[in-house]
Amino acid sequence: MDTNPFYKKILLKLSGEALMGEQEFGISADMIMMYSRQIKEIVELGVEVSIVIGGGNIFRGLSGADQGVDRVTGDHMGMLATVINSLALQNSLEKLGVQTRVQTAIEMPKIAEPFIKRKAQRHLEKGRVVIFGAGTGNPYFTTDTAAALRAIEMNVDVVIKATKVDGIYDKDPVKYKDAFKYEKITYNEVLTKDLKVMDATAISLCRENKLPIIVFDSLKEGNLKKVVMGENIGTIVLTD
């Protein structure tokens, strides 16, 4: 059996909702441990793992704006939510013996390192997992955009987006039984068809830097390893 990963350096994008499990909000201990086990599995293969997590399980800036919260304030609250999730994942990974560092785009030295590109790269070279919190540190940018930006800065091979479905469809497969699944799709098709993979800024960044994106079902344990080994699961977004 081949134990040589196809992708040596990855950025894993997790949504905040992915950590909720069956809960309506917050963090499920079972879900975060399930992701931690999958991450440990690929770290043990020698894969360099960077992670960006959303904060939608705690607070989302856009929904806060709907409730009368100033958009900039709401986005800052959302960034802090991603830091909470990052610390929770760090704690879970370290319980499994995986060395982990959290770096944040907003400086908070009491609880995490500030984002420094060279330091993050050094951690990765030493086999540590690096979790990037607080998005880009700027309002009006999503954690999808933060994931694309950090992936480019870390010079990874691929962005891997964990979802609840097994790839990219032309419409919601939960609602429509005739939804068509793409095995491969281009960045331009994602943008022109307005497919909800990542936001347009993130897709454009990946397209400009020829960085592939893989969308896969993260709820099936073992799938993350299959992706890094190059197995054909999920959907890959590539250049034209």
Side-chain angles (χ1 to χ4, degrees):
M1 181 178 175
D2 186 11
T3 56
N4 191 33
F6 185 79
Y7 298 108
K8 314 283 189 186
K9 300 167 71 173
I10 71 155
L11 185 134
L12 176 65
K13 171 60 170 64
L14 290 172
S15 68
E17 289 89 340
L19 304 183
M20 291 192 302
E22 299 301 317
Q23 301 173 181
E24 292 185 9
F25 62 89
I27 300 168
S28 160
D30 290 339
M31 288 302 296
I32 204 165
M33 185 52 71
M34 185 272 287
Y35 283 115
S36 297
R37 286 194 299 266
Q38 292 198 70
I39 293 163
K40 179 183 180 182
E41 197 172 27
I42 63 171
V43 168
E44 289 175 342
L45 293 172
V47 177
E48 289 185 13
V49 182
S50 307
I51 302 172
V52 170
I53 314 179
N57 58 320
I58 299 170
F59 188 87
R60 187 182 292 279
L62 276 173
S63 59
D66 294 338
Q67 298 165 25
V69 179
D70 173 75
R71 175 63 192 274
V72 174
T73 300
D75 281 357
H76 283 140
M77 291 166 71
M79 290 177 212
L80 296 178
T82 72
V83 177
I84 292 171
N85 286 338
S86 297
L87 294 173
L89 182 60
Q90 178 186 40
N91 179 71
S92 182
L93 283 166
E94 291 186 338
K95 281 182 179 177
L96 296 178
V98 179
Q99 288 194 7
T100 309
R101 296 291 185 273
V102 174
Q103 290 198 348
T104 57
I106 298 172
E107 290 192 21
M108 41 188 83
K110 295 280 187 181
I111 58 173
E113 297 177 2
F115 170 67
I116 299 171
K117 177 179 180 287
R118 290 180 184 275
K119 198 165 186 179
Q121 288 176 319
R122 186 66 179 138
H123 287 319
L124 293 168
E125 288 166 4
K126 289 184 174 181
R128 298 168 184 151
V129 171
V130 180
I131 305 170
F132 299 112
T136 66
N138 302 292
Y140 297 98
F141 290 94
T142 68
T143 51
D144 280 346
T145 300
L149 178 62
R150 296 291 181 248
I152 294 159
E153 289 174 313
M154 293 301 106
N155 194 31
V156 304
D157 301 325
V158 64
V159 173
I160 299 176
K161 180 159 183 179
T163 66
K164 295 178 181 179
V165 293
D166 61 344
I168 300 170
Y169 287 79
D170 61 346
K171 49 192 171 183
D172 189 342
V174 177
K175 294 180 181 177
Y176 303 97
K177 291 184 179 179
D178 63 340
F180 173 76
K181 179 188 171 186
Y182 300 96
E183 284 195 12
K184 291 183 181 178
I185 192 167
T186 67
Y187 304 107
N188 284 342
E189 285 179 294
V190 169
L191 292 170
T192 56
K193 294 177 181 179
D194 195 26
L195 300 175
K196 305 301 181 186
V197 181
M198 300 173 90
D199 68 73
T201 307
I203 294 293
S204 297
L205 270 172
C206 290
R207 178 180 63 182
E208 288 166 18
N209 292 275
K210 296 181 171 56
L211 180 62
I213 304 164
I214 295 176
V215 177
F216 80 110
D217 176 7
S218 62
L219 298 181
K220 188 173 180 183
E221 198 157 346
N223 270 359
L224 181 57
K225 181 180 178 181
K226 290 178 181 178
V227 171
V228 301
M229 295 304 290
E231 290 191 33
N232 186 26
I233 66 168
T235 302
I236 187 165
V237 185
L238 296 163
T239 51
D240 301 345

